[in-house]
Amino acid sequence: MNKTISMEDKICMITGANSGIGKATVLGLAEIGAKIVMVCRNKERGETAQQEIIEKTGNKNVDLLICDLSSQEQIHKLVSEFKQKYQNLHVLINNAGIVLSKRQLSVDGIEMNFAVNYLAPFLLTNLLIDVLKNSAPSRIINVSSGVHKRASMDFDDLQGENKKYGAFKNYGVSKLTLTLFTYELSRRLEGTGVTVNAVHPGVVRSNLGRDQPTFSRAFQKVFFKTPKKGAATSIYLASSPEVEGITGKYFVSKEPKKSSDESYNEEYAKRLWEISTQMTNL
Ligand SMILES: NC(=O)c1ccc[n+]([C@@H]2O[C@H](COP(=O)([O-])OP(=O)(O)OC[C@H]3O[C@@H](n4cnc5c(N)ncnc54)[C@H](OP(=O)(O)O)[C@@H]3O)[C@@H](O)[C@H]2O)c1
């Protein structure tokens, strides 16, 4: 962490902020003075993390808003609550994510990986875009995954409904759609002073795989990166002057890298945008 960077007066919203990479991202940004809005689905887990972050960093500007991102109604409520309390938003980090071994539906009837990992960032970002534009220069960071490279777009089966569902198959689809969305949004935001980039954090020790039968903390401890290392690229994109104005890129280890060929398909991105608009009633 570059201790010379200050985020004082910058308001940063981070989803999935009580665990793993999200919590480490909050810690890193709180350390350099940012005003944090943690978004968590569980009040108790959120408050525990919030207290720990305030104690560790001495930064008291760490707020907590509760939202289950699998519910579109709750996303609307989150945005109203945020807008009542804050005039600006300088950094939005769409970090929350899940991977589920069995196919589940959200309260809105949407396959859960797709709902939480992709459609929630789509809706949340669009509902906050006016505040982000008014706060420009501002930055959006979408936490994708290298697993998007194993997925391909099947518009007839985006939700693993008609063909076979697979945890990592459908997780991969959610991250490919998030990456397509990142690039499409960057084109739509040209000239606004709002940048948007995607991140692959690496393979990181966290709670992400807890639903998988093979989940092993001991294995993770030996082979996976720490959450602090996993958060480094998100923190870099949120705070570094080096990436001011950089948009529409996929970052790995603080470097722009090539994402999958399909993720650059502009036809797919436009079609996905239309479908997502319908699915969220935007
Ligand atoms: N770990 C890796 O190796 C890896 C690799 C590539 C990409 N990623 C991505 O990195 C991001 C962070 O994951 P992580 O590894 O840090 O996993 P994690 O420890 O499981 O953290 C995920 C966070 O998302 C929250 N979340 C899940 N469903 C939610 C919902 N419906 N509403 C609101 N919050 C929800 C979780 O809340 P609860 O604590 O309440 O469940 C938790 O705070 C994810 O997008 C993941 O896909 C991780």
Coordinates of all heavy atoms in Angstrom, one line a residue, residues 105-140:
L105 N -32.9 -20.2 -6.7 CA -33.5 -19.0 -7.3 C -33.6 -17.9 -6.3 O -33.8 -18.2 -5.1 CB -34.9 -19.3 -7.8 CG -35.1 -20.3 -9.0 CD1 -36.5 -20.4 -9.5 CD2 -34.2 -19.9 -10.2
S106 N -33.5 -16.7 -6.7 CA -33.6 -15.5 -5.8 C -35.1 -15.3 -5.5 O -36.0 -15.9 -6.2 CB -33.0 -14.3 -6.5 OG -33.8 -13.9 -7.5
V107 N -35.4 -14.4 -4.7 CA -36.8 -14.0 -4.4 C -37.5 -13.5 -5.7 O -38.7 -13.5 -5.8 CB -37.0 -12.9 -3.3 CG1 -36.9 -13.5 -1.9 CG2 -36.1 -11.7 -3.6
D108 N -36.7 -13.0 -6.6 CA -37.2 -12.5 -7.9 C -37.3 -13.6 -8.9 O -37.6 -13.3 -10.1 CB -36.3 -11.3 -8.4 CG -36.2 -10.2 -7.4 OD1 -37.3 -9.8 -6.9 OD2 -35.1 -9.7 -7.1
G109 N -37.0 -14.8 -8.5 CA -37.1 -16.0 -9.5 C -35.9 -16.1 -10.4 O -36.0 -16.6 -11.5
I110 N -34.8 -15.5 -10.1 CA -33.6 -15.5 -10.9 C -32.5 -16.4 -10.4 O -32.3 -16.4 -9.1 CB -33.1 -14.0 -11.1 CG1 -34.1 -13.2 -11.8 CG2 -31.7 -14.0 -11.9 CD1 -34.0 -11.7 -11.7
E111 N -31.8 -17.1 -11.3 CA -30.7 -18.0 -10.8 C -29.8 -17.2 -10.0 O -29.4 -16.1 -10.3 CB -30.1 -18.6 -12.0 CG -29.1 -19.8 -11.7 CD -27.7 -19.3 -11.3 OE1 -27.1 -18.5 -12.0 OE2 -27.3 -19.7 -10.2
M112 N -29.4 -17.7 -8.8 CA -28.7 -17.0 -7.8 C -27.3 -16.4 -8.1 O -27.0 -15.3 -7.8 CB -28.6 -17.8 -6.5 CG -28.4 -17.1 -5.3 SD -29.8 -15.9 -4.9 CE -30.6 -16.8 -3.6
N113 N -26.5 -17.2 -8.8 CA -25.2 -16.7 -9.2 C -25.4 -15.4 -10.2 O -24.7 -14.4 -10.0 CB -24.3 -17.7 -10.1 CG -23.9 -18.9 -9.3 OD1 -23.0 -18.8 -8.5 ND2 -24.6 -20.0 -9.5
F114 N -26.3 -15.6 -11.1 CA -26.6 -14.5 -12.1 C -27.1 -13.3 -11.3 O -26.8 -12.2 -11.6 CB -27.6 -15.1 -13.1 CG -27.7 -14.2 -14.3 CD1 -26.8 -14.2 -15.3 CD2 -28.8 -13.4 -14.5 CE1 -26.9 -13.4 -16.4 CE2 -29.0 -12.6 -15.6 CZ -28.0 -12.6 -16.6
A115 N -28.1 -13.6 -10.4 CA -28.7 -12.5 -9.6 C -27.7 -11.7 -8.8 O -27.7 -10.4 -8.8 CB -29.8 -13.0 -8.7
V116 N -26.9 -12.4 -8.0 CA -26.0 -11.7 -7.1 C -24.7 -11.1 -7.8 O -24.3 -10.0 -7.5 CB -25.6 -12.6 -5.9 CG1 -24.6 -12.0 -5.0 CG2 -26.8 -13.0 -5.1
N117 N -24.1 -12.0 -8.6 CA -22.8 -11.6 -9.2 C -22.9 -10.7 -10.4 O -21.9 -10.0 -10.6 CB -22.0 -12.9 -9.6 CG -21.8 -13.9 -8.5 OD1 -22.0 -13.6 -7.3 ND2 -21.4 -15.1 -8.8
Y118 N -24.0 -10.7 -11.1 CA -24.1 -9.9 -12.2 C -25.3 -8.9 -12.2 O -25.1 -7.7 -12.3 CB -24.2 -10.7 -13.6 CG -24.7 -9.8 -14.7 CD1 -23.9 -8.7 -15.1 CD2 -25.9 -10.0 -15.3 CE1 -24.4 -7.8 -16.0 CE2 -26.4 -9.1 -16.2 CZ -25.6 -8.0 -16.6 OH -26.1 -7.1 -17.5
L119 N -26.5 -9.4 -12.0 CA -27.6 -8.5 -12.1 C -27.7 -7.4 -11.0 O -28.1 -6.3 -11.2 CB -28.9 -9.3 -12.2 CG -30.1 -8.8 -13.0 CD1 -29.6 -8.5 -14.5 CD2 -31.2 -9.7 -13.1
A120 N -27.2 -7.8 -9.8 CA -27.2 -6.8 -8.7 C -26.2 -5.7 -9.0 O -26.6 -4.5 -8.9 CB -26.8 -7.5 -7.4
P121 N -25.0 -6.0 -9.5 CA -24.1 -4.8 -9.9 C -24.7 -4.0 -11.0 O -24.6 -2.8 -11.0 CB -22.8 -5.5 -10.4 CG -22.8 -6.8 -9.6 CD -24.2 -7.2 -9.4
F122 N -25.4 -4.7 -12.0 CA -26.0 -3.9 -13.1 C -27.1 -3.0 -12.5 O -27.1 -1.8 -12.8 CB -26.7 -4.9 -14.0 CG -27.4 -4.2 -15.2 CD1 -26.8 -3.8 -16.3 CD2 -28.8 -4.0 -15.1 CE1 -27.4 -3.2 -17.4 CE2 -29.5 -3.3 -16.1 CZ -28.8 -2.9 -17.3
L123 N -27.9 -3.4 -11.6 CA -29.0 -2.6 -11.1 C -28.4 -1.5 -10.2 O -28.8 -0.3 -10.3 CB -30.0 -3.5 -10.4 CG -31.2 -2.7 -9.7 CD1 -32.0 -1.9 -10.7 CD2 -32.2 -3.7 -9.0
L124 N -27.6 -1.9 -9.2 CA -27.0 -1.0 -8.2 C -26.3 0.1 -8.9 O -26.5 1.3 -8.6 CB -26.1 -1.8 -7.3 CG -25.5 -0.9 -6.2 CD1 -26.5 -0.3 -5.2 CD2 -24.5 -1.8 -5.3
T125 N -25.5 -0.2 -9.9 CA -24.6 0.8 -10.6 C -25.6 1.7 -11.4 O -25.4 3.0 -11.3 CB -23.7 0.1 -11.6 OG1 -22.9 -0.9 -10.9 CG2 -22.7 1.1 -12.3
N126 N -26.6 1.2 -12.1 CA -27.5 2.1 -12.8 C -28.2 3.0 -11.9 O -28.5 4.2 -12.2 CB -28.4 1.3 -13.7 CG -27.7 0.9 -15.0 OD1 -27.5 1.9 -15.8 ND2 -27.4 -0.3 -15.3
L127 N -28.6 2.5 -10.7 CA -29.4 3.4 -9.8 C -28.5 4.4 -9.2 O -29.0 5.5 -8.7 CB -30.1 2.5 -8.7 CG -31.2 1.6 -9.2 CD1 -31.7 0.7 -8.0 CD2 -32.3 2.3 -9.8
L128 N -27.2 4.2 -9.1 CA -26.3 5.2 -8.5 C -25.5 6.0 -9.5 O -24.7 6.9 -9.2 CB -25.2 4.4 -7.6 CG -25.8 3.8 -6.3 CD1 -24.7 2.9 -5.7 CD2 -26.1 4.9 -5.3
I129 N -25.8 5.8 -10.8 CA -25.0 6.4 -11.8 C -25.1 8.0 -11.8 O -24.1 8.7 -12.1 CB -25.3 5.9 -13.3 CG1 -24.1 5.9 -14.1 CG2 -26.5 6.5 -13.9 CD1 -23.0 5.0 -13.8
D130 N -26.3 8.5 -11.4 CA -26.4 10.0 -11.4 C -25.5 10.5 -10.3 O -24.8 11.6 -10.5 CB -27.9 10.4 -11.1 CG -28.5 9.6 -9.9 OD1 -28.0 8.6 -9.5 OD2 -29.6 10.1 -9.5
V131 N -25.5 9.9 -9.1 CA -24.6 10.4 -8.0 C -23.1 10.2 -8.5 O -22.3 11.1 -8.2 CB -24.8 9.5 -6.7 CG1 -24.2 10.3 -5.5 CG2 -26.2 9.3 -6.5
L132 N -22.8 9.1 -9.1 CA -21.4 8.9 -9.5 C -21.0 10.0 -10.6 O -19.9 10.5 -10.5 CB -21.2 7.5 -10.2 CG -21.2 6.4 -9.1 CD1 -21.6 5.0 -9.8 CD2 -19.8 6.2 -8.5
K133 N -21.9 10.3 -11.5 CA -21.6 11.4 -12.5 C -21.5 12.7 -11.8 O -20.5 13.5 -12.1 CB -22.7 11.4 -13.5 CG -22.7 10.3 -14.5 CD -23.8 10.5 -15.5 CE -23.8 9.4 -16.5 NZ -25.1 9.3 -17.3
N134 N -22.3 13.0 -10.8 CA -22.2 14.3 -10.1 C -21.0 14.4 -9.3 O -20.6 15.5 -8.9 CB -23.5 14.5 -9.2 CG -24.7 14.8 -10.1 OD1 -24.6 15.2 -11.2 ND2 -25.9 14.5 -9.6
S135 N -20.4 13.3 -8.9 CA -19.2 13.2 -8.0 C -17.9 13.1 -8.8 O -16.9 13.0 -8.3 CB -19.3 12.1 -7.1 OG -20.6 12.0 -6.5
A136 N -18.0 13.1 -10.2 CA -16.8 12.9 -11.0 C -15.7 13.8 -10.7 O -16.0 15.0 -10.4 CB -17.2 13.0 -12.5
P137 N -14.4 13.3 -10.8 CA -14.0 12.0 -11.2 C -14.4 10.9 -10.2 O -14.1 11.0 -9.0 CB -12.5 12.1 -11.4 CG -12.1 13.2 -10.5 CD -13.2 14.2 -10.4
S138 N -15.0 9.9 -10.7 CA -15.4 8.8 -9.9 C -15.1 7.4 -10.6 O -14.9 7.4 -11.8 CB -16.9 8.9 -9.5 OG -17.6 9.0 -10.6
R139 N -15.1 6.4 -9.8 CA -14.6 5.1 -10.3 C -15.5 4.0 -9.9 O -16.0 3.9 -8.7 CB -13.2 4.8 -9.7 CG -12.2 5.9 -10.0 CD -10.9 5.6 -9.4 NE -9.9 6.7 -9.6 CZ -8.6 6.6 -9.4 NH1 -8.1 5.5 -8.9 NH2 -7.8 7.6 -9.7
I140 N -15.8 3.1 -10.8 CA -16.5 1.8 -10.5 C -15.6 0.7 -10.8 O -14.9 0.6 -11.8 CB -17.8 1.7 -11.5 CG1 -18.7 2.9 -11.4 CG2 -18.5 0.4 -11.2 CD1 -19.6 3.1 -12.6

